Amino acid sequence: MVKRSIFSTTLFLFVLAACLAVFGTPVTAGTIKLNYANFPPAPTFPCVQMERWKVEVEKRTNGQVAVNTFPGGTLLGAKGMLDGVIAGQADIGNICMAYQPGRFIVTNATSLPLGIPDAKKGSMALLKLYEKYQPKEFEDVVVLTMFTNAPGNVMTKVPVKTLADMKGLDLRASGGANQILTAWGANPVGMPMPQTVEALQKGTVKGLFSSLEVMKDFKFAENCKYVTMTETVIYPFAVIMNKQKYNSLPDDVKKVFMDLKEEQALWTGTYMDDQIQKAIAWSKDSNNVEFISLSPDEKAKWDSKLEFITEKWITDAKAKGFPAEEIVKDIKAFIQ
Ligand code: 3IO
């Protein structure tokens, strides 16, 4: 009897030790539950990166943290995201800064026509810019990562080959991209990306100006049979966390989050760039989309229309007290 109980105690301790080794601290498993809100539908890149972050966090905290994700605006929508996270309606949220241009002066400078070549470089430049200037609009939150989409192109129901074709065309965009559409003579219609699905179906807009992965992820290729390659302008995004909630986390969890910040930016930029190639192939092969390149002469005309935009931004931002020239110089340096 005695011998047997010693055996079972030993076995019990052994199993416990094995559990600890494999699962870390089972006592606290999943005790920290975080709600993560996102505004677009689950298959789109902001939500794909959210699911990747969730998996990494749960793995790296040995299950100590459980992340509950809410895609498709089910917890917070595009425009209420930042205030919702500050108020604690969600612990974490993903914002597209172009939707509130006046609120994010520094980070939205990445939406100027500065020649950001892809999402990977754009994402790293955006994060560096944020780290350097620490803009005060993020004071009440903790930034978990930032990233951008890839440069925008014009996706339309009608072919656009010249600036004359752009004249008065109703195109959906947001923030800095709207200024660019205006400069090209189009009629920009501002709305967050998820609303574009209905606007295109109803015909309220004739197309949109954004990164091409949406041709596949939102199935816009079914409506927009033409793409004019402009490769201009990105949209900056941030993932933010409620500050009190962040401060309440154990140090080892905080470290996991901070260690993921740059890695997640790089992962998302890389994923986005890859997704663009897949969307182009899918649009051509399965949806017969025509891709239009501007001739060098025509391209020069389009580019010349944008020259004043950065100059004007510098004047306006300087008047508001921002080191505008330095910000522009930094973005150009960060993308090298
Ligand atoms: C975007 C926003 C949500 C889901 C997929 C997306 N791809 C590019 C964007 C950028 C954007 O918000 C926009 O308005 O073009």
Side-chain angles (χ1 to χ4, degrees):
M1 267 311 267
V2 173
K3 199 172 173 191
R4 196 179 153 179
S5 85
I6 287 171
F7 175 72
S8 40
T9 307
T10 314
L11 182 69
F12 171 74
L13 288 173
F14 180 78
V15 171
L16 184 70
C19 284
L20 279 168
V22 176
F23 301 110
T25 34
V27 207
T28 54
T31 48
I32 303 168
K33 292 190 170 35
L34 299 176
N35 289 336
Y36 188 152
N38 220 328
F39 66 93
T44 65
F45 91 99
C47 292
V48 173
Q49 74 76 34
M50 167 171 78
E51 295 302 328
R52 188 267 173 179
W53 190 86
K54 167 194 162 81
V55 167
E56 288 304 314
V57 162
E58 291 179 351
K59 194 166 73 191
R60 295 177 195 198
T61 61
N62 300 311
Q64 199 183 345
V65 173
V67 182
N68 211 350
T69 56
F70 294 84
T74 46
L75 185 54
L76 286 171
K79 290 189 177 173
M81 191 64 74
L82 177 57
D83 291 326
V85 170
I86 291 172
Q89 287 167 273
D91 302 312
I92 302 172
N94 172 43
I95 53 174
C96 180
M97 294 181 260
Y99 300 164
Q100 291 172 291
R103 196 167 180 176
F104 304 99
I105 306 284
V106 177
T107 46
N108 269 327
T110 55
S111 282
L112 291 166
L114 299 173
I116 292 178
D118 54 42
K120 196 166 147 183
K121 285 199 165 138
S123 300
M124 299 318 281
L126 171 65
L127 188 59
K128 278 188 189 161
L129 192 74
Y130 163 75
E131 300 285 7
K132 176 167 174 182
Y133 291 93
Q134 305 269 326
K136 66 167 179 359
E137 54 273 22
F138 294 99
E139 246 167 33
D140 298 330
V141 292
V142 173
V143 170
L144 297 180
T145 193
M146 288 198 183
F147 49 81
T148 73
N149 64 335
N153 294 295
V154 178
M155 299 161 247
T156 44
K157 296 181 177 191
V158 291
V160 171
K161 296 185 173 160
T162 62
L163 280 175
D165 297 332
M166 283 289 265
K167 191 106 195 106
L169 196 62
D170 295 325
L171 296 177
R172 176 267 153 199
S174 271
N178 276 350
Q179 276 190 65
I180 291 177
L181 287 180
T182 305
W184 285 336
N187 178 36
V189 185
M191 68 183 84
M193 184 60 88
Q195 275 88 304
T196 312
V197 180
E198 204 183 299
L200 272 173
Q201 277 163 4
K202 285 194 173 162
T204 333
V205 295
K206 293 281 191 302
L208 73 154
F209 181 38
S210 191
S211 48
L212 292 177
E213 97 292 351
V214 296
M215 288 290 275
K216 184 163 190 274
D217 293 348
F218 281 94
K219 307 243 181 310
F220 290 152
E222 289 170 2
N223 278 300
C224 300
K225 294 299 174 192
Y226 303 92
V227 171
T228 305
M229 296 302 284
T230 53
E231 291 288 280
T232 309
V233 93
I234 57 82
Y235 290 80
F237 290 76
V239 178
I240 43 150
M241 180 166 183
N242 179 280
K243 201 166 193 172
Q244 271 170 297
K245 191 78 185 194
Y246 179 85
N247 288 336
S248 76
L249 296 172
D251 286 348
D252 57 338
V253 172
K254 284 182 187 154
K255 185 173 184 317
V256 167
F257 286 13
M258 287 305 114
D259 287 350
L260 257 170
K261 196 200 282 191
E262 193 180 325
E263 184 191 316
Q264 185 70 16
L266 193 62
W267 186 91
T268 307
T270 308
Y271 170 81
M272 158 60 67
D273 290 331
D274 190 48
Q275 207 59 9
I276 297 288
Q277 296 313 315
K278 289 182 181 154
I280 291 174
W282 184 79
S283 300
K284 283 180 183 165
D285 302 343
S286 311
N287 287 276
N288 241 344
V289 174
E290 184 185 339
F291 282 74
I292 300 162
S293 327
L294 301 172
S295 71
D297 275 3
E298 189 63 25
K299 178 86 169 80
K301 278 190 215 162
W302 290 55
D303 288 346
S304 74
K305 298 276 182 202
L306 305 185
E307 279 161 11
F308 80 98
I309 290 180
T310 303
E311 289 312 310
K312 184 179 179 300
W313 182 86
I314 288 175
T315 309
D316 294 350
K318 245 158 93 174
K320 289 181 190 137
F322 292 95
E325 274 138 344
E326 195 186 337
I327 290 169
V328 167
K329 221 174 86 193
D330 279 334
I331 296 169
K332 286 181 180 167
F334 292 156
I335 57 177
Q336 286 318 306

